[in-house]
């Protein structure tokens, strides 16, 4: 049995539902809700760069939030760009980057990635007559084929776009090895850390990647996105922007007025992760996830996709129930107040490769730091009853 020290910090977690929909968006932390509420309620909401107190408080909020995110990701704060979500930031980034690409250039994406780290690259490449390659996944283990990655990376590769953790089957590629291989080939690396940041400590300085994206609403904050760029890379881009807007630092890519209230909530959520410590969260999630995985693997009518072990994986599992459409299974679980996802969760390449895209994908259950043993027991009991 594990006890959950943080569960009471999530007002949306009442015990009525067992929530396994964290990979699609987690419940918000009390402090994040308070920070958003406070910013809007206390008369400090104002646009930035003004002469009066409220505007200066907003300036400080943004500066402090960038610093906090810099600490969370182990990276210089001047590379932290805020946006509405990861997907919009990816399209803004690849659009700004496109002029640096040309015929003969290659981008390596992976079969393990969410489409938001595939299609923005495909569209930018299409505009510039560059080529996109796909690194294979071993379909039995759900692991990225590192030998294939090494084969694909070469003198024509300009970017490697790779996930830190699969939002479908949970596997975590060896990022250090991938960055090393890409840099040796002369390519830059963007890491999709949307499914990684809620579950592991991220240290951009140690990893050496050139860009990284994540979404705070997957780690207890409000709906928002974060793009971190190496400051020199950021300065070299040609973003689409209006003329009077600042043309220095992260604001170059922050078109229009940001959601300052969201930034206040993001900062509070990031402080929570820093205070608790990602290693503590990872250990707790592993202990809670282990019986869930074992339980599903032990059921004859259940097929688990991807790895059957706990090595280098997020506490996220995709599975099918014999004779049952994944949507029908998700509906049956919802009927007993167990929230899961079904479909492809935009991990389109992987679901297609697994041959599941045509048949409705798979059911996905993901843990968050607030998941407890009772939630796991409820899910297992509900799945067992569908056999
Ligand atoms: C791994 C991964 N990448 C990217 C995204 C897209 O994130 P956003 O909704 O912030 O655009 C998601 C969302 O589910 C995801 O799980």
């Amino acid at each position: 049995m594990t006890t959950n020290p943080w569960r009471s910090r999530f007002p949306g977690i009442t015990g009525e539902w067992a929530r396994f929909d964290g990979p699609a968006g987690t419940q918000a932390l009390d402090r994040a809700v308070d920070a958003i509420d406070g910013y809007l309620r206390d008369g400090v909401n104002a646009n930035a760069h003004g002469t009066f107190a409220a505007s200066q408080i907003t300036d400080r909020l943004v500066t402090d939030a960038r610093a906090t995110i810099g600490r969370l990701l182990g990276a210089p704060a001047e590379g932290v760009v805020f946006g509405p979500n990861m997907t919009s930031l990816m399209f803004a980034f690849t659009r700004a980057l496109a002029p640096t690409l040309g015929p003969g250039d290659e981008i390596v994406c992976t079969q393990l990635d969410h489409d938001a780290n595939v299609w923005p690259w495909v569209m930018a490449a299409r505009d510039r007559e560059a080529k996109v390659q796909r690194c294979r996944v071993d379909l039995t283990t759900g692991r990225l084929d590192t030998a294939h990655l090494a084969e694909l990376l070469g003198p024509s590769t300009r970017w490697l776009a790779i996930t830190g953790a699969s939002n479908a089957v949970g596997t975590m590629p060896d990022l250090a090895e991938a960055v090393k291989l890409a840099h040796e080939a002369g390519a830059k690396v963007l890491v999709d850390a949307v499914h990684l940041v809620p579950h592991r400590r991220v240290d951009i300085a140690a990893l050496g990647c050139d860009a990284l994206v994540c979404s705070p609403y997957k780690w207890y904050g409000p709906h928002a996105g974060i793009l971190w760029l190496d400051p020199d890379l950021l300065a070299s881009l040609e973003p689409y922007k209006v003329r009077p807007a600042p043309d220095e630092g992260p604001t170059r890519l922050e078109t229009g007025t940001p959601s300052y209230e969201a930034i206040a909530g993001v900062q509070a959520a990031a402080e929570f992760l820093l205070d608790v410590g990602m290693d503590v969260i990872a250990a707790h999630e592993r202990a809670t996830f282990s019986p869930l995985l074992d339980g599903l693997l032990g059921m004859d009518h259940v097929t688990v996709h991807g790895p059957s072990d706990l090595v280098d994986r997020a506490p996220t599992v995709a599975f099918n129930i014999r004779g049952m459409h994944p949507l029908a299974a998700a509906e049956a679980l919802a009927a007993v107040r167990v929230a899961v996802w079904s479909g492809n969760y935009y991990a389109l390449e992987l679901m297609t490769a697994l041959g599941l895209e045509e048949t409705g994908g798979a059911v996905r259950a993901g843990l968050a730091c607030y998941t407890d043993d009772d939630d796991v027991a409820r899910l297992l009991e509900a799945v067992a009853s569908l056999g």
Side-chain angles (χ1 to χ4, degrees), residues 20-44:
F20 289 94
D21 59 327
T26 50
Q27 292 303 294
L29 177 78
D30 51 5
R31 284 277 167 78
V33 177
D34 293 346
I36 296 164
D37 181 72
Y39 180 77
L40 292 173
R41 193 181 291 277
D42 294 348
V44 295

mmCIF file with all atom_site columns, all heavy atoms in Angstrom, residues 20-44:
data_model
loop_
_atom_site.group_PDB
_atom_site.id
_atom_site.type_symbol
_atom_site.label_atom_id
_atom_site.label_alt_id
_atom_site.label_comp_id
_atom_site.label_asym_id
_atom_site.label_entity_id
_atom_site.label_seq_id
_atom_site.pdbx_PDB_ins_code
_atom_site.Cartn_x
_atom_site.Cartn_y
_atom_site.Cartn_z
_atom_site.occupancy
_atom_site.B_iso_or_equiv
_atom_site.pdbx_formal_charge
_atom_site.auth_seq_id
_atom_site.auth_comp_id
_atom_site.auth_asym_id
_atom_site.auth_atom_id
_atom_site.pdbx_PDB_model_num
ATOM 1   N N   . PHE A 1 20 ? -8.072  8.639  -14.382 1.00 0.00 ? 20 PHE A N   1
ATOM 2   C CA  . PHE A 1 20 ? -6.896  8.134  -15.098 1.00 0.00 ? 20 PHE A CA  1
ATOM 3   C C   . PHE A 1 20 ? -6.709  8.890  -16.417 1.00 0.00 ? 20 PHE A C   1
ATOM 4   O O   . PHE A 1 20 ? -6.108  8.371  -17.344 1.00 0.00 ? 20 PHE A O   1
ATOM 5   C CB  . PHE A 1 20 ? -7.029  6.631  -15.347 1.00 0.00 ? 20 PHE A CB  1
ATOM 6   C CG  . PHE A 1 20 ? -6.891  5.822  -14.082 1.00 0.00 ? 20 PHE A CG  1
ATOM 7   C CD1 . PHE A 1 20 ? -8.003  5.448  -13.357 1.00 0.00 ? 20 PHE A CD1 1
ATOM 8   C CD2 . PHE A 1 20 ? -5.635  5.480  -13.608 1.00 0.00 ? 20 PHE A CD2 1
ATOM 9   C CE1 . PHE A 1 20 ? -7.875  4.728  -12.175 1.00 0.00 ? 20 PHE A CE1 1
ATOM 10  C CE2 . PHE A 1 20 ? -5.499  4.759  -12.424 1.00 0.00 ? 20 PHE A CE2 1
ATOM 11  C CZ  . PHE A 1 20 ? -6.617  4.377  -11.712 1.00 0.00 ? 20 PHE A CZ  1
ATOM 12  N N   . ASP A 1 21 ? -7.258  10.107 -16.472 1.00 0.00 ? 21 ASP A N   1
ATOM 13  C CA  . ASP A 1 21 ? -7.171  10.897 -17.709 1.00 0.00 ? 21 ASP A CA  1
ATOM 14  C C   . ASP A 1 21 ? -6.056  11.933 -17.648 1.00 0.00 ? 21 ASP A C   1
ATOM 15  O O   . ASP A 1 21 ? -6.019  12.855 -18.468 1.00 0.00 ? 21 ASP A O   1
ATOM 16  C CB  . ASP A 1 21 ? -8.523  11.581 -17.991 1.00 0.00 ? 21 ASP A CB  1
ATOM 17  C CG  . ASP A 1 21 ? -8.964  12.505 -16.850 1.00 0.00 ? 21 ASP A CG  1
ATOM 18  O OD1 . ASP A 1 21 ? -8.652  12.190 -15.676 1.00 0.00 ? 21 ASP A OD1 1
ATOM 19  O OD2 . ASP A 1 21 ? -9.618  13.525 -17.120 1.00 0.00 ? 21 ASP A OD2 1
ATOM 20  N N   . GLY A 1 22 ? -5.129  11.788 -16.689 1.00 0.00 ? 22 GLY A N   1
ATOM 21  C CA  . GLY A 1 22 ? -4.030  12.749 -16.542 1.00 0.00 ? 22 GLY A CA  1
ATOM 22  C C   . GLY A 1 22 ? -3.238  12.999 -17.822 1.00 0.00 ? 22 GLY A C   1
ATOM 23  O O   . GLY A 1 22 ? -2.864  14.144 -18.089 1.00 0.00 ? 22 GLY A O   1
ATOM 24  N N   . PRO A 1 23 ? -2.958  11.976 -18.647 1.00 0.00 ? 23 PRO A N   1
ATOM 25  C CA  . PRO A 1 23 ? -2.200  12.250 -19.869 1.00 0.00 ? 23 PRO A CA  1
ATOM 26  C C   . PRO A 1 23 ? -2.914  13.213 -20.820 1.00 0.00 ? 23 PRO A C   1
ATOM 27  O O   . PRO A 1 23 ? -2.288  13.823 -21.695 1.00 0.00 ? 23 PRO A O   1
ATOM 28  C CB  . PRO A 1 23 ? -2.057  10.861 -20.520 1.00 0.00 ? 23 PRO A CB  1
ATOM 29  C CG  . PRO A 1 23 ? -2.161  9.905  -19.375 1.00 0.00 ? 23 PRO A CG  1
ATOM 30  C CD  . PRO A 1 23 ? -3.150  10.533 -18.424 1.00 0.00 ? 23 PRO A CD  1
ATOM 31  N N   . ALA A 1 24 ? -4.224  13.350 -20.660 1.00 0.00 ? 24 ALA A N   1
ATOM 32  C CA  . ALA A 1 24 ? -4.965  14.310 -21.495 1.00 0.00 ? 24 ALA A CA  1
ATOM 33  C C   . ALA A 1 24 ? -5.108  15.646 -20.778 1.00 0.00 ? 24 ALA A C   1
ATOM 34  O O   . ALA A 1 24 ? -5.496  16.653 -21.390 1.00 0.00 ? 24 ALA A O   1
ATOM 35  C CB  . ALA A 1 24 ? -6.348  13.756 -21.829 1.00 0.00 ? 24 ALA A CB  1
ATOM 36  N N   . GLY A 1 25 ? -4.792  15.678 -19.501 1.00 0.00 ? 25 GLY A N   1
ATOM 37  C CA  . GLY A 1 25 ? -4.912  16.899 -18.703 1.00 0.00 ? 25 GLY A CA  1
ATOM 38  C C   . GLY A 1 25 ? -5.181  16.511 -17.249 1.00 0.00 ? 25 GLY A C   1
ATOM 39  O O   . GLY A 1 25 ? -6.088  15.723 -16.996 1.00 0.00 ? 25 GLY A O   1
ATOM 40  N N   . THR A 1 26 ? -4.373  17.065 -16.349 1.00 0.00 ? 26 THR A N   1
ATOM 41  C CA  . THR A 1 26 ? -4.505  16.700 -14.932 1.00 0.00 ? 26 THR A CA  1
ATOM 42  C C   . THR A 1 26 ? -5.447  17.649 -14.213 1.00 0.00 ? 26 THR A C   1
ATOM 43  O O   . THR A 1 26 ? -5.788  18.718 -14.724 1.00 0.00 ? 26 THR A O   1
ATOM 44  C CB  . THR A 1 26 ? -3.133  16.781 -14.235 1.00 0.00 ? 26 THR A CB  1
ATOM 45  O OG1 . THR A 1 26 ? -2.569  18.050 -14.542 1.00 0.00 ? 26 THR A OG1 1
ATOM 46  C CG2 . THR A 1 26 ? -2.218  15.668 -14.678 1.00 0.00 ? 26 THR A CG2 1
ATOM 47  N N   . GLN A 1 27 ? -5.825  17.280 -12.997 1.00 0.00 ? 27 GLN A N   1
ATOM 48  C CA  . GLN A 1 27 ? -6.557  18.193 -12.129 1.00 0.00 ? 27 GLN A CA  1
ATOM 49  C C   . GLN A 1 27 ? -5.592  19.283 -11.637 1.00 0.00 ? 27 GLN A C   1
ATOM 50  O O   . GLN A 1 27 ? -4.388  19.053 -11.518 1.00 0.00 ? 27 GLN A O   1
ATOM 51  C CB  . GLN A 1 27 ? -7.143  17.421 -10.942 1.00 0.00 ? 27 GLN A CB  1
ATOM 52  C CG  . GLN A 1 27 ? -8.243  16.477 -11.372 1.00 0.00 ? 27 GLN A CG  1
ATOM 53  C CD  . GLN A 1 27 ? -9.353  17.219 -12.107 1.00 0.00 ? 27 GLN A CD  1
ATOM 54  O OE1 . GLN A 1 27 ? -10.039 18.041 -11.525 1.00 0.00 ? 27 GLN A OE1 1
ATOM 55  N NE2 . GLN A 1 27 ? -9.517  16.945 -13.392 1.00 0.00 ? 27 GLN A NE2 1
ATOM 56  N N   . ALA A 1 28 ? -6.169  20.465 -11.359 1.00 0.00 ? 28 ALA A N   1
ATOM 57  C CA  . ALA A 1 28 ? -5.321  21.615 -10.998 1.00 0.00 ? 28 ALA A CA  1
ATOM 58  C C   . ALA A 1 28 ? -4.999  21.614 -9.496  1.00 0.00 ? 28 ALA A C   1
ATOM 59  O O   . ALA A 1 28 ? -5.824  21.242 -8.660  1.00 0.00 ? 28 ALA A O   1
ATOM 60  C CB  . ALA A 1 28 ? -6.013  22.909 -11.379 1.00 0.00 ? 28 ALA A CB  1
ATOM 61  N N   . LEU A 1 29 ? -3.796  22.052 -9.209  1.00 0.00 ? 29 LEU A N   1
ATOM 62  C CA  . LEU A 1 29 ? -3.309  22.200 -7.828  1.00 0.00 ? 29 LEU A CA  1
ATOM 63  C C   . LEU A 1 29 ? -4.020  23.377 -7.146  1.00 0.00 ? 29 LEU A C   1
ATOM 64  O O   . LEU A 1 29 ? -4.268  24.404 -7.790  1.00 0.00 ? 29 LEU A O   1
ATOM 65  C CB  . LEU A 1 29 ? -1.802  22.477 -7.915  1.00 0.00 ? 29 LEU A CB  1
ATOM 66  C CG  . LEU A 1 29 ? -1.063  22.728 -6.619  1.00 0.00 ? 29 LEU A CG  1
ATOM 67  C CD1 . LEU A 1 29 ? -0.810  21.398 -5.911  1.00 0.00 ? 29 LEU A CD1 1
ATOM 68  C CD2 . LEU A 1 29 ? 0.247   23.450 -6.880  1.00 0.00 ? 29 LEU A CD2 1
ATOM 69  N N   . ASP A 1 30 ? -4.278  23.253 -5.827  1.00 0.00 ? 30 ASP A N   1
ATOM 70  C CA  . ASP A 1 30 ? -4.949  24.359 -5.101  1.00 0.00 ? 30 ASP A CA  1
ATOM 71  C C   . ASP A 1 30 ? -4.240  25.702 -5.303  1.00 0.00 ? 30 ASP A C   1
ATOM 72  O O   . ASP A 1 30 ? -4.850  26.721 -5.622  1.00 0.00 ? 30 ASP A O   1
ATOM 73  C CB  . ASP A 1 30 ? -5.094  24.012 -3.605  1.00 0.00 ? 30 ASP A CB  1
ATOM 74  C CG  . ASP A 1 30 ? -3.794  23.553 -2.929  1.00 0.00 ? 30 ASP A CG  1
ATOM 75  O OD1 . ASP A 1 30 ? -2.723  23.580 -3.567  1.00 0.00 ? 30 ASP A OD1 1
ATOM 76  O OD2 . ASP A 1 30 ? -3.854  23.166 -1.737  1.00 0.00 ? 30 ASP A OD2 1
ATOM 77  N N   . ARG A 1 31 ? -2.923  25.713 -5.185  1.00 0.00 ? 31 ARG A N   1
ATOM 78  C CA  . ARG A 1 31 ? -2.170  26.971 -5.298  1.00 0.00 ? 31 ARG A CA  1
ATOM 79  C C   . ARG A 1 31 ? -2.257  27.572 -6.702  1.00 0.00 ? 31 ARG A C   1
ATOM 80  O O   . ARG A 1 31 ? -2.214  28.793 -6.874  1.00 0.00 ? 31 ARG A O   1
ATOM 81  C CB  . ARG A 1 31 ? -0.696  26.728 -4.987  1.00 0.00 ? 31 ARG A CB  1
ATOM 82  C CG  . ARG A 1 31 ? -0.382  26.571 -3.547  1.00 0.00 ? 31 ARG A CG  1
ATOM 83  C CD  . ARG A 1 31 ? -0.219  27.946 -2.851  1.00 0.00 ? 31 ARG A CD  1
ATOM 84  N NE  . ARG A 1 31 ? -0.214  27.786 -1.419  1.00 0.00 ? 31 ARG A NE  1
ATOM 85  C CZ  . ARG A 1 31 ? 0.837   27.350 -0.716  1.00 0.00 ? 31 ARG A CZ  1
ATOM 86  N NH1 . ARG A 1 31 ? 1.955   27.068 -1.319  1.00 0.00 ? 31 ARG A NH1 1
ATOM 87  N NH2 . ARG A 1 31 ? 0.756   27.225 0.584   1.00 0.00 ? 31 ARG A NH2 1
ATOM 88  N N   . ALA A 1 32 ? -2.359  26.688 -7.707  1.00 0.00 ? 32 ALA A N   1
ATOM 89  C CA  . ALA A 1 32 ? -2.477  27.192 -9.085  1.00 0.00 ? 32 ALA A CA  1
ATOM 90  C C   . ALA A 1 32 ? -3.828  27.886 -9.259  1.00 0.00 ? 32 ALA A C   1
ATOM 91  O O   . ALA A 1 32 ? -3.917  28.976 -9.841  1.00 0.00 ? 32 ALA A O   1
ATOM 92  C CB  . ALA A 1 32 ? -2.308  26.051 -10.083 1.00 0.00 ? 32 ALA A CB  1
ATOM 93  N N   . VAL A 1 33 ? -4.879  27.260 -8.712  1.00 0.00 ? 33 VAL A N   1
ATOM 94  C CA  . VAL A 1 33 ? -6.211  27.857 -8.788  1.00 0.00 ? 33 VAL A CA  1
ATOM 95  C C   . VAL A 1 33 ? -6.209  29.206 -8.053  1.00 0.00 ? 33 VAL A C   1
ATOM 96  O O   . VAL A 1 33 ? -6.712  30.214 -8.561  1.00 0.00 ? 33 VAL A O   1
ATOM 97  C CB  . VAL A 1 33 ? -7.266  26.906 -8.163  1.00 0.00 ? 33 VAL A CB  1
ATOM 98  C CG1 . VAL A 1 33 ? -8.648  27.540 -8.175  1.00 0.00 ? 33 VAL A CG1 1
ATOM 99  C CG2 . VAL A 1 33 ? -7.283  25.556 -8.884  1.00 0.00 ? 33 VAL A CG2 1
ATOM 100 N N   . ASP A 1 34 ? -5.591  29.230 -6.862  1.00 0.00 ? 34 ASP A N   1
ATOM 101 C CA  . ASP A 1 34 ? -5.539  30.475 -6.072  1.00 0.00 ? 34 ASP A CA  1
ATOM 102 C C   . ASP A 1 34 ? -4.764  31.567 -6.815  1.00 0.00 ? 34 ASP A C   1
ATOM 103 O O   . ASP A 1 34 ? -5.135  32.743 -6.765  1.00 0.00 ? 34 ASP A O   1
ATOM 104 C CB  . ASP A 1 34 ? -4.839  30.234 -4.721  1.00 0.00 ? 34 ASP A CB  1
ATOM 105 C CG  . ASP A 1 34 ? -5.658  29.324 -3.817  1.00 0.00 ? 34 ASP A CG  1
ATOM 106 O OD1 . ASP A 1 34 ? -6.851  29.107 -4.110  1.00 0.00 ? 34 ASP A OD1 1
ATOM 107 O OD2 . ASP A 1 34 ? -5.094  28.823 -2.815  1.00 0.00 ? 34 ASP A OD2 1
ATOM 108 N N   . ALA A 1 35 ? -3.676  31.182 -7.467  1.00 0.00 ? 35 ALA A N   1
ATOM 109 C CA  . ALA A 1 35 ? -2.848  32.177 -8.156  1.00 0.00 ? 35 ALA A CA  1
ATOM 110 C C   . ALA A 1 35 ? -3.618  32.811 -9.321  1.00 0.00 ? 35 ALA A C   1
ATOM 111 O O   . ALA A 1 35 ? -3.557  34.024 -9.544  1.00 0.00 ? 35 ALA A O   1
ATOM 112 C CB  . ALA A 1 35 ? -1.558  31.526 -8.658  1.00 0.00 ? 35 ALA A CB  1
ATOM 113 N N   . ILE A 1 36 ? -4.370  31.978 -10.038 1.00 0.00 ? 36 ILE A N   1
ATOM 114 C CA  . ILE A 1 36 ? -5.166  32.495 -11.166 1.00 0.00 ? 36 ILE A CA  1
ATOM 115 C C   . ILE A 1 36 ? -6.254  33.424 -10.619 1.00 0.00 ? 36 ILE A C   1
ATOM 116 O O   . ILE A 1 36 ? -6.446  34.544 -11.088 1.00 0.00 ? 36 ILE A O   1
ATOM 117 C CB  . ILE A 1 36 ? -5.798  31.325 -11.955 1.00 0.00 ? 36 ILE A CB  1
ATOM 118 C CG1 . ILE A 1 36 ? -4.711  30.474 -12.583 1.00 0.00 ? 36 ILE A CG1 1
ATOM 119 C CG2 . ILE A 1 36 ? -6.774  31.840 -13.010 1.00 0.00 ? 36 ILE A CG2 1
ATOM 120 C CD1 . ILE A 1 36 ? -5.192  29.105 -13.059 1.00 0.00 ? 36 ILE A CD1 1
ATOM 121 N N   . ASP A 1 37 ? -6.924  32.931 -9.600  1.00 0.00 ? 37 ASP A N   1
ATOM 122 C CA  . ASP A 1 37 ? -8.009  33.696 -8.974  1.00 0.00 ? 37 ASP A CA  1
ATOM 123 C C   . ASP A 1 37 ? -7.469  35.022 -8.427  1.00 0.00 ? 37 ASP A C   1
ATOM 124 O O   . ASP A 1 37 ? -8.040  36.092 -8.665  1.00 0.00 ? 37 ASP A O   1
ATOM 125 C CB  . ASP A 1 37 ? -8.613  32.841 -7.856  1.00 0.00 ? 37 ASP A CB  1
ATOM 126 C CG  . ASP A 1 37 ? -9.755  33.518 -7.167  1.00 0.00 ? 37 ASP A CG  1
ATOM 127 O OD1 . ASP A 1 37 ? -10.817 33.627 -7.794  1.00 0.00 ? 37 ASP A OD1 1
ATOM 128 O OD2 . ASP A 1 37 ? -9.592  33.966 -6.014  1.00 0.00 ? 37 ASP A OD2 1
ATOM 129 N N   . GLY A 1 38 ? -6.339  34.949 -7.742  1.00 0.00 ? 38 GLY A N   1
ATOM 130 C CA  . GLY A 1 38 ? -5.755  36.148 -7.132  1.00 0.00 ? 38 GLY A CA  1
ATOM 131 C C   . GLY A 1 38 ? -5.373  37.176 -8.188  1.00 0.00 ? 38 GLY A C   1
ATOM 132 O O   . GLY A 1 38 ? -5.643  38.373 -8.035  1.00 0.00 ? 38 GLY A O   1
ATOM 133 N N   . TYR A 1 39 ? -4.778  36.712 -9.261  1.00 0.00 ? 39 TYR A N   1
ATOM 134 C CA  . TYR A 1 39 ? -4.339  37.653 -10.294 1.00 0.00 ? 39 TYR A CA  1
ATOM 135 C C   . TYR A 1 39 ? -5.542  38.407 -10.881 1.00 0.00 ? 39 TYR A C   1
ATOM 136 O O   . TYR A 1 39 ? -5.475  39.613 -11.127 1.00 0.00 ? 39 TYR A O   1
ATOM 137 C CB  . TYR A 1 39 ? -3.570  36.912 -11.403 1.00 0.00 ? 39 TYR A CB  1
ATOM 138 C CG  . TYR A 1 39 ? -3.110  37.870 -12.485 1.00 0.00 ? 39 TYR A CG  1
ATOM 139 C CD1 . TYR A 1 39 ? -2.003  38.691 -12.277 1.00 0.00 ? 39 TYR A CD1 1
ATOM 140 C CD2 . TYR A 1 39 ? -3.809  37.983 -13.675 1.00 0.00 ? 39 TYR A CD2 1
ATOM 141 C CE1 . TYR A 1 39 ? -1.600  39.608 -13.239 1.00 0.00 ? 39 TYR A CE1 1
ATOM 142 C CE2 . TYR A 1 39 ? -3.417  38.884 -14.643 1.00 0.00 ? 39 TYR A CE2 1
ATOM 143 C CZ  . TYR A 1 39 ? -2.305  39.699 -14.422 1.00 0.00 ? 39 TYR A CZ  1
ATOM 144 O OH  . TYR A 1 39 ? -1.925  40.612 -15.370 1.00 0.00 ? 39 TYR A OH  1
ATOM 145 N N   . LEU A 1 40 ? -6.635  37.678 -11.076 1.00 0.00 ? 40 LEU A N   1
ATOM 146 C CA  . LEU A 1 40 ? -7.809  38.308 -11.696 1.00 0.00 ? 40 LEU A CA  1
ATOM 147 C C   . LEU A 1 40 ? -8.628  39.111 -10.687 1.00 0.00 ? 40 LEU A C   1
ATOM 148 O O   . LEU A 1 40 ? -9.306  40.066 -11.051 1.00 0.00 ? 40 LEU A O   1
ATOM 149 C CB  . LEU A 1 40 ? -8.702  37.230 -12.330 1.00 0.00 ? 40 LEU A CB  1
ATOM 150 C CG  . LEU A 1 40 ? -8.103  36.531 -13.545 1.00 0.00 ? 40 LEU A CG  1
ATOM 151 C CD1 . LEU A 1 40 ? -8.992  35.370 -13.985 1.00 0.00 ? 40 LEU A CD1 1
ATOM 152 C CD2 . LEU A 1 40 ? -7.899  37.494 -14.707 1.00 0.00 ? 40 LEU A CD2 1
ATOM 153 N N   . ARG A 1 41 ? -8.564  38.722 -9.436  1.00 0.00 ? 41 ARG A N   1
ATOM 154 C CA  . ARG A 1 41 ? -9.446  39.312 -8.413  1.00 0.00 ? 41 ARG A CA  1
ATOM 155 C C   . ARG A 1 41 ? -8.854  40.550 -7.753  1.00 0.00 ? 41 ARG A C   1
ATOM 156 O O   . ARG A 1 41 ? -9.585  41.453 -7.338  1.00 0.00 ? 41 ARG A O   1
ATOM 157 C CB  . ARG A 1 41 ? -9.718  38.244 -7.336  1.00 0.00 ? 41 ARG A CB  1
ATOM 158 C CG  . ARG A 1 41 ? -10.835 38.571 -6.377  1.00 0.00 ? 41 ARG A CG  1
ATOM 159 C CD  . ARG A 1 41 ? -10.982 37.459 -5.357  1.00 0.00 ? 41 ARG A CD  1
ATOM 160 N NE  . ARG A 1 41 ? -11.499 36.243 -5.963  1.00 0.00 ? 41 ARG A NE  1
ATOM 161 C CZ  . ARG A 1 41 ? -12.808 36.029 -6.170  1.00 0.00 ? 41 ARG A CZ  1
ATOM 162 N NH1 . ARG A 1 41 ? -13.684 36.919 -5.831  1.00 0.00 ? 41 ARG A NH1 1
ATOM 163 N NH2 . ARG A 1 41 ? -13.206 34.896 -6.737  1.00 0.00 ? 41 ARG A NH2 1
ATOM 164 N N   . ASP A 1 42 ? -7.516  40.591 -7.637  1.00 0.00 ? 42 ASP A N   1
ATOM 165 C CA  . ASP A 1 42 ? -6.908  41.581 -6.737  1.00 0.00 ? 42 ASP A CA  1
ATOM 166 C C   . ASP A 1 42 ? -6.589  42.928 -7.386  1.00 0.00 ? 42 ASP A C   1
ATOM 167 O O   . ASP A 1 42 ? -5.879  43.748 -6.805  1.00 0.00 ? 42 ASP A O   1
ATOM 168 C CB  . ASP A 1 42 ? -5.612  41.005 -6.129  1.00 0.00 ? 42 ASP A CB  1
ATOM 169 C CG  . ASP A 1 42 ? -5.897  39.819 -5.223  1.00 0.00 ? 42 ASP A CG  1
ATOM 170 O OD1 . ASP A 1 42 ? -7.086  39.600 -4.901  1.00 0.00 ? 42 ASP A OD1 1
ATOM 171 O OD2 . ASP A 1 42 ? -4.947  39.107 -4.854  1.00 0.00 ? 42 ASP A OD2 1
ATOM 172 N N   . GLY A 1 43 ? -7.052  43.143 -8.620  1.00 0.00 ? 43 GLY A N   1
ATOM 173 C CA  . GLY A 1 43 ? -6.809  44.438 -9.257  1.00 0.00 ? 43 GLY A CA  1
ATOM 174 C C   . GLY A 1 43 ? -5.410  44.595 -9.831  1.00 0.00 ? 43 GLY A C   1
ATOM 175 O O   . GLY A 1 43 ? -5.016  45.683 -10.241 1.00 0.00 ? 43 GLY A O   1
ATOM 176 N N   . VAL A 1 44 ? -4.659  43.485 -9.852  1.00 0.00 ? 44 VAL A N   1
ATOM 177 C CA  . VAL A 1 44 ? -3.307  43.587 -10.425 1.00 0.00 ? 44 VAL A CA  1
ATOM 178 C C   . VAL A 1 44 ? -3.293  43.178 -11.892 1.00 0.00 ? 44 VAL A C   1
ATOM 179 O O   . VAL A 1 44 ? -2.264  43.268 -12.552 1.00 0.00 ? 44 VAL A O   1
ATOM 180 C CB  . VAL A 1 44 ? -2.270  42.736 -9.652  1.00 0.00 ? 44 VAL A CB  1
ATOM 181 C CG1 . VAL A 1 44 ? -2.103  43.269 -8.253  1.00 0.00 ? 44 VAL A CG1 1
ATOM 182 C CG2 . VAL A 1 44 ? -2.653  41.272 -9.633  1.00 0.00 ? 44 VAL A CG2 1
#
